[in-house]
Amino acid sequence: MMVNMSVSFFIIVFIVAILKDCVSVRFSYLGVPGFVLNGEPVLLHCGYDLEKDELYSVKWYKDNVEFYRYLPGDSPSGQMYQLEGVFLDMHNSNATHALLHTSELESEGIYGCEVSTEVPSFRTIKAEKRMHVYVIPEEGPTIHGIVDRYTIGSEVNLTCVYGPSKPAADLSWYINGEKVPESYICEEKEESNAGELKTTESRLMFVIDSSHLRQGVLSVQCTASVTLVYSNSSRELIVSEGVSGPEFLHVPHAPPGHEGPNITGNQQKYYIGDIVDVNCTSARSSEPAQLHWYVNNNEVKPEFLSEYHPITYPDGYSSSKLGLQFRVQEEHFKSEEMRLKCTSTLSKIITMTCEERISEGYQRSSEHQTADSSESGWSQVEALQLRWIVIILCLALVLSS
């Protein structure tokens, strides 16, 4: 009888311990921006639910090195540690937020928040996410090599320069709004500067003929496109011959509902000769994600991929979907296992354009335009409105005099 009571007591204690763990501290949100521009402030947000426990400490790390600690039981509660690239604003940092009043290239890294509860549970959880620091020059691309006079048969030899920037820009040439043939581009290069900065150059050469002129005018544009990646996540399926089972590799922490991509359609077993027919679907996001498939770390060729229309949700968010189909060959199991990996990338593209208009016989003015992939170009509309206001004011002054 005593033995049964002892066993029952230990079972009850075990169940209570499990239930206690089930209601322990957990993360609700880790707010680390995917990227900032050099010099911008950074607000880090550590959202957690203590589940009736008491908070012992909150610690912030960059690349696993602590730079801020908050202990509500201490006075003062906050304590900072000097770390290169981290410019902590102590007055605006607390138990849930850490504010960096500025940033620099050295601020890039993996930021982690660690939360610990008081005794008796004394539980510790940690989440982390990478932040990129990008550099976008205030000035757009510039076109060099314009001469004072052009005629039919004249050779145009122009160089477009953009930078320094991080990451490097992709330069594209257009004539009268149409992309130039590859044969017109004779040289492209990147020059490295300090702090991972790159200056990009592209050279355009062609001979003017009548097809280049629109009402006697030739317009040459150089566009610099900079892709700012702010989220990378992946999911990998590791398959041994005859056995299949999903295994997660590194998937950066993200707000709830915005986890890494999902792989569906895999079979329980794969043998040589079987058809692999799987789909990768990205997490919901405000902008479409770019998906890529890899087999044993080699990117899959387009002929084995199936592209689908994005899945759109009522709240305006969407998910991208990309299929993969191929027949399993013996070479896929050279390492005794086959790895199928899908990566999801979220990015923002900023474009800047320099335009030169050339009339037959002389040179006209140049223009610069800037746009990004998430905006609709209101700055150009406002600039046009401002010009009309200035014109109207000038006319009013003339009439009043």
Side-chain angles (χ1 to χ4, degrees), residues 86-105:
V86 176
F87 305 93
L88 187 69
D89 182 345
M90 282 288 293
H91 297 292
N92 291 293
S93 300
N94 51 41
T96 56
H97 292 81
L99 177 64
L100 312 186
H101 62 80
T102 189
S103 59
E104 61 182 18
L105 291 175

Side-chain angles (χ1 to χ4, degrees), residues 88-136:
L88 187 69
D89 182 345
M90 282 288 293
H91 297 292
N92 291 293
S93 300
N94 51 41
T96 56
H97 292 81
L99 177 64
L100 312 186
H101 62 80
T102 189
S103 59
E104 61 182 18
L105 291 175
E106 287 73 20
S107 302
E108 182 169 295
I110 298 175
Y111 287 80
C113 176
E114 181 183 279
V115 180
S116 299
T117 59
E118 279 281 13
V119 292
S121 62
F122 205 75
R123 296 273 297 176
T124 298
I125 56 174
K126 185 177 180 180
E128 57 187 20
K129 184 181 177 183
R130 173 173 289 278
M131 183 184 78
H132 299 273
V133 179
Y134 296 130
V135 177
I136 303 297

Side-chain angles (χ1 to χ4, degrees), residues 346-371:
L346 291 172
S347 61
K348 176 180 181 180
I349 300 176
I350 294 179
T351 61
M352 285 147 284
T353 299
C354 177
E355 180 176 1
E356 295 283 353
R357 290 189 177 94
I358 303 170
S359 292
E360 186 181 3
Y362 65 95
Q363 172 191 347
R364 285 184 60 185
S365 61
S366 61
E367 293 185 3
H368 285 83
Q369 298 176 353
T370 301

Side-chain angles (χ1 to χ4, degrees), residues 19-79:
L19 291 175
K20 189 172 183 181
D21 285 343
C22 290
V23 296
S24 61
V25 61
R26 61 183 178 83
F27 276 112
S28 59
Y29 181 75
L30 177 65
V32 176
F35 77 87
V36 296
L37 297 181
N38 187 40
E40 288 185 338
V42 181
L43 181 62
L44 305 172
H45 179 198
C46 188
Y48 50 87
D49 189 343
L50 294 175
E51 298 284 3
K52 299 182 180 181
D53 279 343
E54 290 186 28
L55 179 65
Y56 171 69
S57 69
V58 176
K59 300 177 181 179
W60 279 97
Y61 299 83
K62 175 182 175 288
D63 298 328
N64 293 316
V65 180
E66 185 180 358
F67 65 86
Y68 176 59
R69 176 181 301 188
Y70 183 89
L71 287 83
D74 286 3
S75 182
S77 299
Q79 185 175 354

Side-chain angles (χ1 to χ4, degrees), residues 5 8 13 97 137 184 201 207 266 365 378:
M5 289 180 64
S8 299
V13 171
H97 292 81
Y184 283 22
E201 294 185 13
V207 175
N266 57 289
S365 61
W378 279 102

Side-chain angles (χ1 to χ4, degrees), residues 154 160 223 317:
S154 296
C160 180
T223 297
Y317 280 59

